[in-house]
Coordinates of all heavy atoms in Angstrom, one line a residue:
M1 N 0.8 -1.2 0.0 CA 0.0 0.0 0.0 C 0.9 1.2 0.0 O 1.9 1.3 0.7 CB -0.9 0.0 1.2 CG -1.8 1.2 1.3 SD -2.8 0.9 2.8 CE -3.9 2.2 2.7
A2 N 0.6 2.2 -0.8 CA 1.4 3.4 -1.0 C 1.2 4.3 0.3 O 0.1 4.4 0.9 CB 1.0 4.2 -2.2
T3 N 2.2 4.9 0.7 CA 2.2 5.8 1.8 C 1.5 7.1 1.3 O 1.5 7.4 0.1 CB 3.6 6.1 2.3 OG1 4.3 6.8 1.3 CG2 4.3 4.9 2.8
P4 N 1.0 7.9 2.3 CA 0.4 9.2 1.8 C 1.4 10.1 1.1 O 1.0 10.8 0.1 CB 0.0 9.9 3.2 CG -0.2 8.7 4.1 CD 0.8 7.7 3.7
F5 N 2.6 10.1 1.4 CA 3.6 10.9 0.7 C 3.8 10.4 -0.7 O 3.9 11.2 -1.6 CB 5.0 10.9 1.5 CG 6.0 11.7 0.7 CD1 6.0 13.1 0.7 CD2 7.0 11.1 -0.1 CE1 6.9 13.8 0.0 CE2 7.9 11.8 -0.8 CZ 7.9 13.2 -0.7
A6 N 3.8 9.1 -0.9 CA 4.0 8.5 -2.2 C 2.8 8.9 -3.1 O 3.0 9.2 -4.3 CB 4.1 7.0 -2.2
A7 N 1.6 8.9 -2.6 CA 0.4 9.4 -3.4 C 0.6 10.8 -3.7 O 0.3 11.2 -4.9 CB -0.8 9.1 -2.6
L8 N 1.0 11.7 -2.8 CA 1.2 13.1 -3.1 C 2.3 13.3 -4.1 O 2.2 14.1 -5.1 CB 1.6 13.8 -1.8 CG 1.9 15.3 -1.9 CD1 0.7 16.1 -2.5 CD2 2.4 15.9 -0.6
E9 N 3.4 12.5 -4.0 CA 4.5 12.6 -5.0 C 4.0 12.2 -6.4 O 4.3 12.9 -7.4 CB 5.6 11.7 -4.5 CG 6.8 11.7 -5.4 CD 7.9 10.7 -4.9 OE1 7.8 9.5 -5.2 OE2 8.8 11.2 -4.2
S10 N 3.2 11.2 -6.5 CA 2.7 10.8 -7.8 C 1.8 11.8 -8.4 O 1.9 12.1 -9.6 CB 1.9 9.5 -7.6 OG 1.4 9.1 -8.8
R11 N 0.9 12.4 -7.6 CA 0.0 13.5 -8.1 C 0.8 14.7 -8.6 O 0.5 15.3 -9.6 CB -1.0 13.9 -7.0 CG -2.1 12.9 -6.8 CD -3.3 13.4 -6.0 NE -2.9 14.1 -4.8 CZ -2.8 13.4 -3.6 NH1 -3.0 12.1 -3.5 NH2 -2.4 14.1 -2.5
L12 N 1.8 15.1 -7.8 CA 2.7 16.2 -8.2 C 3.4 16.0 -9.5 O 3.5 16.8 -10.4 CB 3.6 16.5 -7.0 CG 4.6 17.7 -7.3 CD1 3.9 19.0 -7.5 CD2 5.6 17.8 -6.1
N13 N 4.0 14.8 -9.6 CA 4.7 14.4 -10.8 C 3.8 14.4 -12.0 O 4.2 14.9 -13.1 CB 5.5 13.1 -10.7 CG 6.7 13.2 -9.7 OD1 7.2 14.3 -9.5 ND2 7.1 12.1 -9.2
T14 N 2.6 13.9 -11.9 CA 1.7 13.8 -13.0 C 1.3 15.2 -13.4 O 1.2 15.5 -14.6 CB 0.4 13.0 -12.6 OG1 0.8 11.7 -12.3 CG2 -0.6 13.0 -13.7
A15 N 1.0 16.1 -12.4 CA 0.7 17.5 -12.8 C 1.8 18.2 -13.4 O 1.6 18.9 -14.4 CB 0.2 18.2 -11.5
A16 N 3.0 18.0 -12.9 CA 4.2 18.7 -13.5 C 4.4 18.2 -15.0 O 4.6 19.1 -15.9 CB 5.4 18.4 -12.7
L17 N 4.3 17.0 -15.2 CA 4.4 16.4 -16.5 C 3.3 16.9 -17.5 O 3.6 17.2 -18.6 CB 4.5 14.9 -16.5 CG 4.9 14.2 -17.8 CD1 6.3 14.7 -18.2 CD2 4.9 12.7 -17.6
R18 N 2.1 17.0 -17.0 CA 1.0 17.5 -17.8 C 1.3 18.9 -18.3 O 1.0 19.3 -19.4 CB -0.3 17.4 -17.0 CG -1.5 17.8 -17.8 CD -2.8 17.7 -17.1 NE -2.8 18.0 -15.7 CZ -3.0 17.2 -14.6 NH1 -3.2 15.9 -14.9 NH2 -2.9 17.6 -13.4
H19 N 2.0 19.7 -17.5 CA 2.2 21.1 -17.9 C 3.6 21.3 -18.6 O 3.7 22.2 -19.4 CB 2.2 22.0 -16.7 CG 0.8 22.1 -16.1 ND1 -0.2 22.8 -16.7 CD2 0.3 21.6 -14.9 CE1 -1.3 22.7 -15.9 NE2 -1.0 22.0 -14.9
A20 N 4.5 20.4 -18.4 CA 5.9 20.6 -19.0 C 6.2 19.7 -20.1 O 7.2 20.0 -20.8 CB 6.9 20.5 -17.8
S21 N 5.5 18.7 -20.4 CA 5.9 17.7 -21.4 C 5.9 18.4 -22.8 O 5.0 19.2 -23.1 CB 4.9 16.5 -21.4 OG 3.7 16.8 -21.8
N22 N 6.9 18.0 -23.6 CA 7.0 18.6 -24.9 C 7.2 17.5 -26.0 O 7.5 17.8 -27.1 CB 8.1 19.6 -24.9 CG 9.5 19.0 -24.7 OD1 9.6 17.8 -24.4 ND2 10.5 19.9 -24.7
A23 N 7.1 16.2 -25.6 CA 7.3 15.2 -26.5 C 6.5 13.9 -26.2 O 6.5 13.5 -25.0 CB 8.8 14.8 -26.6
A24 N 5.9 13.3 -27.2 CA 5.3 12.0 -27.1 C 6.4 11.0 -27.3 O 7.2 11.0 -28.2 CB 4.2 11.8 -28.1
C25 N 6.4 10.0 -26.4 CA 7.5 8.9 -26.4 C 6.8 7.6 -26.4 O 5.7 7.4 -26.0 CB 8.3 9.0 -25.1 SG 9.0 10.6 -24.8
S26 N 7.5 6.6 -27.0 CA 7.1 5.2 -26.9 C 8.3 4.3 -26.9 O 9.3 4.6 -27.5 CB 6.1 4.9 -28.1 OG 6.8 5.1 -29.3
A27 N 8.1 3.2 -26.3 CA 9.2 2.2 -26.2 C 8.7 0.9 -25.9 O 7.6 0.7 -25.3 CB 10.2 2.7 -25.1
L28 N 9.4 -0.2 -26.3 CA 9.1 -1.5 -25.9 C 9.6 -1.8 -24.5 O 10.8 -1.5 -24.3 CB 9.6 -2.5 -26.9 CG 9.0 -2.5 -28.3 CD1 9.7 -3.5 -29.2 CD2 7.5 -2.9 -28.2
D29 N 8.8 -2.3 -23.7 CA 9.3 -2.7 -22.3 C 10.0 -4.0 -22.4 O 10.1 -4.7 -23.4 CB 8.2 -2.6 -21.3 CG 7.1 -3.6 -21.5 OD1 7.3 -4.6 -22.2 OD2 6.0 -3.4 -20.8
A30 N 10.4 -4.5 -21.2 CA 11.1 -5.8 -21.1 C 10.3 -6.9 -21.5 O 10.7 -8.0 -21.7 CB 11.7 -5.9 -19.7
Y31 N 8.9 -6.7 -21.5 CA 8.0 -7.8 -21.8 C 7.5 -7.7 -23.3 O 6.7 -8.5 -23.7 CB 6.8 -7.7 -20.9 CG 7.2 -7.6 -19.4 CD1 7.1 -6.4 -18.8 CD2 7.7 -8.7 -18.8 CE1 7.5 -6.3 -17.4 CE2 8.1 -8.7 -17.5 CZ 8.0 -7.5 -16.8 OH 8.4 -7.4 -15.5
G32 N 8.1 -6.8 -24.1 CA 7.8 -6.7 -25.5 C 6.5 -5.9 -25.8 O 6.0 -6.0 -26.9
Q33 N 6.0 -5.2 -24.8 CA 4.8 -4.5 -24.9 C 5.1 -3.0 -25.2 O 6.0 -2.5 -24.5 CB 3.9 -4.6 -23.7 CG 3.7 -6.0 -23.3 CD 2.2 -6.3 -23.0 OE1 1.4 -5.4 -22.8 NE2 1.8 -7.5 -23.0
L34 N 4.4 -2.4 -26.1 CA 4.7 -1.0 -26.4 C 4.1 -0.1 -25.3 O 2.9 -0.2 -25.0 CB 4.0 -0.6 -27.8 CG 4.3 0.8 -28.3 CD1 5.8 1.0 -28.5 CD2 3.5 1.1 -29.5
Q35 N 4.9 0.8 -24.8 CA 4.5 1.7 -23.8 C 4.5 3.1 -24.4 O 5.6 3.5 -24.9 CB 5.4 1.6 -22.5 CG 5.4 0.3 -21.9 CD 4.1 -0.1 -21.3 OE1 3.4 0.7 -20.7 NE2 3.8 -1.4 -21.4
A36 N 3.4 3.8 -24.3 CA 3.4 5.2 -24.7 C 3.3 6.1 -23.5 O 2.6 5.8 -22.5 CB 2.2 5.5 -25.6
F37 N 4.1 7.2 -23.5 CA 4.2 8.1 -22.4 C 4.6 9.5 -22.8 O 5.1 9.7 -23.9 CB 5.1 7.6 -21.3 CG 6.4 7.2 -21.7 CD1 7.5 8.1 -21.6 CD2 6.7 6.0 -22.3 CE1 8.8 7.8 -22.0 CE2 8.0 5.7 -22.7 CZ 9.0 6.6 -22.6
E38 N 4.4 10.5 -22.0 CA 4.9 11.8 -22.3 C 6.2 12.1 -21.6 O 6.5 11.5 -20.5 CB 3.8 12.8 -21.8 CG 2.5 12.8 -22.5 CD 2.6 13.2 -24.0 OE1 3.3 14.2 -24.3 OE2 2.1 12.5 -24.8
G39 N 7.0 13.0 -22.1 CA 8.3 13.3 -21.5 C 8.7 14.7 -21.8 O 8.1 15.4 -22.6
V40 N 9.7 15.2 -21.1 CA 10.3 16.5 -21.3 C 11.6 16.2 -22.0 O 12.6 15.7 -21.4 CB 10.5 17.2 -19.9 CG1 11.2 18.6 -20.2 CG2 9.2 17.4 -19.2
F41 N 11.6 16.6 -23.3 CA 12.8 16.3 -24.2 C 13.7 17.4 -24.2 O 13.3 18.6 -24.4 CB 12.3 15.9 -25.6 CG 13.3 15.5 -26.5 CD1 14.1 14.4 -26.3 CD2 13.6 16.3 -27.6 CE1 15.1 14.1 -27.2 CE2 14.6 15.9 -28.5 CZ 15.3 14.8 -28.3
D42 N 15.0 17.1 -24.1 CA 16.1 18.1 -24.2 C 17.0 17.6 -25.3 O 17.7 16.6 -25.2 CB 16.8 18.2 -22.9 CG 18.0 19.3 -23.0 OD1 18.0 20.1 -23.9 OD2 18.8 19.3 -22.1
A43 N 16.9 18.2 -26.5 CA 17.7 17.8 -27.7 C 19.2 18.0 -27.4 O 19.6 18.7 -26.5 CB 17.2 18.5 -28.9
A44 N 20.0 17.3 -28.2 CA 21.4 17.5 -28.1 C 21.8 18.9 -28.2 O 21.3 19.6 -29.1 CB 22.1 16.6 -29.1
S45 N 22.7 19.4 -27.4 CA 23.1 20.8 -27.5 C 24.4 20.8 -28.3 O 25.1 19.8 -28.5 CB 23.3 21.3 -26.1 OG 24.3 20.6 -25.4
T46 N 24.7 22.0 -28.7 CA 26.0 22.2 -29.4 C 27.1 22.5 -28.3 O 26.8 23.0 -27.3 CB 25.9 23.5 -30.3 OG1 25.5 24.6 -29.6 CG2 24.9 23.2 -31.4
P47 N 28.3 22.1 -28.6 CA 29.4 22.3 -27.7 C 29.6 23.8 -27.4 O 29.5 24.6 -28.3 CB 30.6 21.7 -28.4 CG 30.1 20.9 -29.6 CD 28.7 21.5 -29.9
Q48 N 30.0 24.1 -26.2 CA 30.3 25.4 -25.8 C 31.7 25.5 -25.4 O 32.3 24.5 -24.9 CB 29.4 25.8 -24.6 CG 27.9 25.7 -24.8 CD 27.4 26.7 -25.8 OE1 27.8 27.8 -25.8 NE2 26.6 26.2 -26.7
F49 N 32.3 26.7 -25.5 CA 33.7 26.9 -25.2 C 34.7 25.9 -25.8 O 35.5 25.2 -25.1 CB 33.9 26.9 -23.6 CG 33.0 28.0 -23.0 CD1 31.9 27.6 -22.2 CD2 33.3 29.3 -23.2 CE1 31.1 28.5 -21.6 CE2 32.5 30.3 -22.6 CZ 31.4 29.9 -21.8
G50 N 34.5 25.7 -27.1 CA 35.4 24.7 -27.8 C 35.2 23.3 -27.4 O 36.1 22.5 -27.4
G51 N 34.0 22.9 -26.9 CA 33.7 21.6 -26.5 C 34.0 21.3 -25.1 O 33.9 20.1 -24.6
L52 N 34.5 22.3 -24.3 CA 34.8 22.0 -22.9 C 33.6 21.9 -22.0 O 33.6 21.2 -21.0 CB 35.7 23.2 -22.4 CG 37.0 23.3 -23.0 CD1 37.7 24.5 -22.5 CD2 37.8 22.1 -22.8
M53 N 32.4 22.5 -22.4 CA 31.2 22.4 -21.6 C 30.0 22.0 -22.5 O 29.8 22.6 -23.5 CB 30.9 23.7 -21.0 CG 31.9 24.2 -19.9 SD 31.6 25.8 -19.2 CE 29.9 25.5 -18.6
A54 N 29.3 21.1 -22.1 CA 28.0 20.7 -22.7 C 27.9 19.2 -22.7 O 28.8 18.5 -22.9 CB 27.8 21.2 -24.1
D55 N 26.7 18.8 -22.4 CA 26.4 17.4 -22.6 C 25.7 17.3 -23.9 O 24.6 17.8 -24.1 CB 25.4 16.9 -21.5 CG 25.1 15.4 -21.5 OD1 25.6 14.8 -22.4 OD2 24.3 15.0 -20.7
L56 N 26.4 16.6 -24.8 CA 25.9 16.6 -26.2 C 24.8 15.6 -26.4 O 24.2 15.6 -27.5 CB 27.1 16.3 -27.1 CG 28.2 17.3 -27.1 CD1 29.3 16.8 -28.0 CD2 27.7 18.6 -27.5
A57 N 24.5 14.7 -25.5 CA 23.6 13.7 -25.6 C 22.1 14.2 -25.4 O 21.9 14.9 -24.4 CB 23.8 12.5 -24.7
P58 N 21.2 13.8 -26.2 CA 19.8 14.2 -26.0 C 19.3 13.4 -24.7 O 19.8 12.3 -24.5 CB 19.1 13.8 -27.2 CG 19.9 12.8 -27.9 CD 21.3 13.1 -27.5
Q59 N 18.4 14.0 -24.0 CA 17.8 13.4 -22.8 C 16.3 13.6 -22.8 O 15.8 14.6 -23.4 CB 18.4 14.0 -21.6 CG 19.8 13.8 -21.4 CD 20.3 14.3 -20.1 OE1 19.8 15.3 -19.6 NE2 21.4 13.8 -19.6
V60 N 15.6 12.6 -22.2 CA 14.2 12.8 -21.9 C 13.9 12.5 -20.5 O 14.5 11.5 -20.0 CB 13.3 12.0 -22.9 CG1 13.5 10.5 -22.7 CG2 11.8 12.3 -22.8
Q61 N 13.2 13.4 -19.8 CA 12.8 13.1 -18.4 C 11.3 12.7 -18.4 O 10.5 13.3 -19.1 CB 13.0 14.4 -17.6 CG 14.4 14.8 -17.5 CD 14.6 16.0 -16.7 OE1 13.7 16.8 -16.5 NE2 15.8 16.2 -16.1
C62 N 11.0 11.7 -17.6 CA 9.7 11.2 -17.5 C 9.4 10.6 -16.1 O 10.3 10.5 -15.3 CB 9.5 10.1 -18.6 SG 10.8 8.9 -18.7
K63 N 8.2 10.2 -15.9 CA 7.8 9.5 -14.6 C 8.5 8.2 -14.6 O 8.4 7.4 -15.6 CB 6.3 9.4 -14.5 CG 5.7 10.8 -14.3 CD 4.2 10.7 -13.9 CE 3.5 9.6 -14.6 NZ 2.0 9.5 -14.3
T64 N 9.1 7.8 -13.5 CA 9.7 6.5 -13.3 C 8.7 5.4 -13.6 O 9.0 4.4 -14.2 CB 10.3 6.4 -11.9 OG1 11.3 7.4 -11.8 CG2 10.9 5.0 -11.7
S65 N 7.5 5.6 -13.1 CA 6.4 4.5 -13.3 C 6.2 4.3 -14.8 O 5.7 3.2 -15.2 CB 5.1 4.9 -12.6 OG 4.6 6.1 -13.1
D66 N 6.4 5.3 -15.7 CA 6.1 5.1 -17.1 C 7.2 4.2 -17.8 O 7.0 3.7 -18.8 CB 6.1 6.4 -17.8 CG 4.8 7.2 -17.5 OD1 3.8 6.5 -17.0 OD2 4.8 8.4 -17.7
V67 N 8.4 4.2 -17.2 CA 9.6 3.5 -17.8 C 10.2 2.5 -16.9 O 11.3 2.1 -17.1 CB 10.6 4.5 -18.3 CG1 10.1 5.4 -19.4 CG2 11.2 5.3 -17.1
A68 N 9.4 2.0 -15.9 CA 9.9 1.0 -14.9 C 10.5 -0.2 -15.6 O 11.5 -0.8 -15.1 CB 8.9 0.7 -13.9
A69 N 9.9 -0.7 -16.7 CA 10.3 -1.9 -17.3 C 11.2 -1.7 -18.6 O 11.4 -2.6 -19.3 CB 9.1 -2.8 -17.7
L70 N 11.6 -0.4 -18.8 CA 12.4 -0.1 -20.0 C 13.8 -0.6 -19.7 O 14.4 -0.5 -18.7 CB 12.4 1.4 -20.2 CG 13.0 1.9 -21.5 CD1 12.2 1.5 -22.6 CD2 13.1 3.4 -21.4
A71 N 14.4 -1.2 -20.8 CA 15.7 -1.8 -20.7 C 16.8 -0.8 -21.2 O 16.6 -0.1 -22.2 CB 15.8 -3.1 -21.4
W72 N 18.0 -0.9 -20.6 CA 19.1 -0.2 -21.1 C 19.4 -0.7 -22.5 O 19.3 -1.9 -22.8 CB 20.3 -0.4 -20.2 CG 21.6 0.3 -20.7 CD1 21.9 1.6 -20.6 CD2 22.6 -0.4 -21.4 NE1 23.1 1.8 -21.2 CE2 23.6 0.6 -21.7 CE3 22.8 -1.7 -21.9 CZ2 24.7 0.3 -22.4 CZ3 24.0 -2.0 -22.6 CH2 24.9 -1.0 -22.8
A73 N 19.8 0.2 -23.4 CA 20.1 -0.1 -24.8 C 18.8 -0.5 -25.6 O 18.9 -1.0 -26.7 CB 21.1 -1.2 -24.9
G74 N 17.7 -0.3 -25.0 CA 16.4 -0.6 -25.7 C 16.1 0.6 -26.6 O 16.6 1.7 -26.5
G75 N 15.2 0.3 -27.5 CA 14.8 1.3 -28.5 C 13.7 2.2 -27.9 O 12.9 1.7 -27.1
I76 N 13.7 3.4 -28.3 CA 12.7 4.4 -27.8 C 12.5 5.4 -28.9 O 13.4 5.7 -29.7 CB 13.1 5.1 -26.5 CG1 12.0 6.1 -26.0 CG2 14.5 5.8 -26.7 CD1 12.3 6.6 -24.6
T77 N 11.3 5.8 -29.1 CA 11.0 6.9 -30.1 C 10.5 8.1 -29.3 O 9.6 8.0 -28.4 CB 9.8 6.4 -31.0 OG1 10.3 5.3 -31.7 CG2 9.5 7.5 -32.1
V78 N 11.1 9.3 -29.6 CA 10.8 10.5 -28.9 C 10.5 11.5 -30.0 O 11.4 11.8 -30.9 CB 12.0 11.0 -28.0 CG1 11.6 12.3 -27.4 CG2 12.3 10.0 -27.0
A79 N 9.3 12.1 -30.0 CA 8.9 13.1 -31.0 C 9.2 12.6 -32.4 O 9.6 13.4 -33.3 CB 9.6 14.4 -30.7
G80 N 9.0 11.3 -32.7 CA 9.1 10.8 -34.0 C 10.5 10.4 -34.4 O 10.7 9.9 -35.5
T81 N 11.5 10.5 -33.6 CA 12.9 10.2 -33.9 C 13.3 8.9 -33.1 O 13.0 8.9 -31.9 CB 13.8 11.3 -33.5 OG1 13.4 12.5 -34.3 CG2 15.3 11.0 -33.9
A82 N 13.9 8.0 -33.7 CA 14.3 6.7 -33.1 C 15.7 6.9 -32.3 O 16.6 7.5 -32.9 CB 14.4 5.6 -34.1
Y83 N 15.7 6.4 -31.1 CA 16.9 6.5 -30.3 C 17.1 5.1 -29.6 O 16.2 4.3 -29.6 CB 16.8 7.5 -29.2 CG 16.6 9.0 -29.6 CD1 15.4 9.5 -29.8 CD2 17.8 9.7 -29.9 CE1 15.3 10.9 -30.2 CE2 17.7 11.0 -30.3 CZ 16.4 11.6 -30.4 OH 16.3 12.9 -30.9
T84 N 18.3 4.9 -29.0 CA 18.5 3.8 -28.1 C 18.8 4.5 -26.7 O 19.3 5.6 -26.6 CB 19.6 2.9 -28.5 OG1 20.8 3.7 -28.6 CG2 19.3 2.2 -29.7
V85 N 18.5 3.8 -25.7 CA 18.7 4.3 -24.3 C 20.2 4.0 -23.9 O 20.6 2.9 -23.8 CB 17.8 3.6 -23.3 CG1 18.0 4.1 -21.9 CG2 16.3 3.9 -23.7
A86 N 20.9 5.1 -23.7 CA 22.3 4.9 -23.3 C 22.5 4.9 -21.8 O 23.5 4.3 -21.3 CB 23.1 6.1 -23.9
N87 N 21.6 5.5 -21.1 CA 21.7 5.5 -19.6 C 20.3 5.8 -19.0 O 19.5 6.5 -19.6 CB 22.7 6.6 -19.2 CG 23.0 6.5 -17.7 OD1 23.2 5.5 -17.1 ND2 23.0 7.7 -17.0
I88 N 20.1 5.1 -17.9 CA 18.8 5.3 -17.2 C 19.2 5.8 -15.8 O 20.0 5.1 -15.1 CB 18.0 4.0 -17.1 CG1 17.7 3.4 -18.4 CG2 16.8 4.2 -16.2 CD1 17.1 2.1 -18.4
S89 N 18.7 7.0 -15.4 CA 19.0 7.6 -14.1 C 17.8 7.9 -13.3 O 17.1 8.9 -13.7 CB 19.9 8.8 -14.3 OG 20.2 9.4 -13.1
H90 N 17.5 7.2 -12.3 CA 16.4 7.4 -11.4 C 16.8 8.4 -10.3 O 17.9 8.2 -9.8 CB 15.8 6.2 -10.8 CG 15.5 5.1 -11.7 ND1 14.5 5.1 -12.6 CD2 16.1 3.9 -11.9 CE1 14.4 4.0 -13.3 NE2 15.4 3.2 -12.9
D91 N 16.0 9.4 -10.0 CA 16.4 10.4 -9.0 C 15.8 10.2 -7.7 O 16.1 10.9 -6.7 CB 16.2 11.8 -9.5 CG 14.8 12.2 -9.5 OD1 13.9 11.4 -9.2 OD2 14.5 13.4 -9.9
G92 N 15.0 9.2 -7.5 CA 14.4 8.9 -6.2 C 13.2 9.7 -5.9 O 12.6 9.5 -4.8
T93 N 12.7 10.5 -6.8 CA 11.5 11.3 -6.5 C 10.4 11.0 -7.5 O 9.4 11.7 -7.6 CB 11.8 12.8 -6.6 OG1 12.2 13.2 -7.9 CG2 12.9 13.3 -5.6
G94 N 10.6 9.9 -8.2 CA 9.6 9.5 -9.2 C 9.9 10.0 -10.6 O 9.1 9.8 -11.5
W95 N 11.0 10.6 -10.8 CA 11.5 11.1 -12.1 C 12.6 10.2 -12.6 O 13.5 9.9 -11.8 CB 11.9 12.5 -12.1 CG 10.7 13.5 -12.1 CD1 10.2 14.1 -11.0 CD2 10.0 13.9 -13.2 NE1 9.2 14.9 -11.4 CE2 9.0 14.8 -12.7 CE3 10.0 13.6 -14.6 CZ2 8.0 15.4 -13.5 CZ3 9.1 14.2 -15.4 CH2 8.1 15.1 -14.9
T96 N 12.7 10.0 -13.9 CA 13.8 9.3 -14.5 C 14.3 10.1 -15.7 O 13.5 10.6 -16.4 CB 13.4 7.9 -14.9 OG1 13.0 7.1 -13.8 CG2 14.5 7.2 -15.7
T97 N 15.6 10.2 -15.8 CA 16.2 10.8 -16.9 C 16.8 9.7 -17.8 O 17.6 8.9 -17.3 CB 17.3 11.8 -16.5 OG1 16.7 12.8 -15.7 CG2 18.0 12.4 -17.8
L98 N 16.4 9.7 -19.1 CA 17.0 8.7 -20.0 C 17.9 9.5 -20.9 O 17.5 10.4 -21.6 CB 15.8 8.1 -20.9 CG 14.7 7.4 -20.1 CD1 13.6 7.0 -21.1 CD2 15.3 6.2 -19.4
T99 N 19.2 9.1 -20.9 CA 20.1 9.7 -21.9 C 20.1 8.8 -23.1 O 20.0 7.6 -23.1 CB 21.6 9.6 -21.3 OG1 21.5 10.3 -20.0 CG2 22.6 10.3 -22.2
L100 N 20.0 9.5 -24.3 CA 19.7 8.8 -25.5 C 20.8 8.9 -26.5 O 21.7 9.8 -26.4 CB 18.4 9.4 -26.1 CG 17.2 9.6 -25.2 CD1 16.1 10.4 -25.9 CD2 16.7 8.2 -24.8
R101 N 20.8 8.0 -27.4 CA 21.8 7.9 -28.5 C 20.9 7.7 -29.8 O 20.1 6.8 -29.8 CB 22.8 6.8 -28.3 CG 23.8 6.7 -29.4 CD 24.9 5.6 -29.1 NE 25.1 5.3 -27.7 CZ 24.8 4.1 -27.1 NH1 24.3 3.2 -27.8 NH2 25.1 3.9 -25.8
E102 N 21.1 8.5 -30.9 CA 20.4 8.3 -32.1 C 20.6 6.9 -32.6 O 21.7 6.4 -32.7 CB 20.7 9.3 -33.1 CG 20.1 10.7 -32.8 CD 19.9 11.6 -34.0 OE1 19.4 11.1 -35.0 OE2 20.3 12.8 -33.8
A103 N 19.5 6.3 -33.0 CA 19.6 4.9 -33.5 C 20.1 4.9 -35.0 O 20.0 5.8 -35.7 CB 18.2 4.2 -33.4

């Protein structure tokens, strides 16, 4: 049974995603089922200061519950572009950042 804080965290994350999402995403989970979800997409940036600063990899942030069964190196489509998952980073607050690599 979820604690009262977990329920509040879930409602807050859902509301934040509803207002901030900018990309439709879909991916096959570990069971081979297509999962569709919304995410906050940050496209690859250009290098700054001669390449000394910048994370060049595109990332998408989403609710952890939406990608709980997503596998590392699995395929994902974000805003119509195919990627593979290069890194999965859960932050412990119900959000997950997926670092992507173009497929």
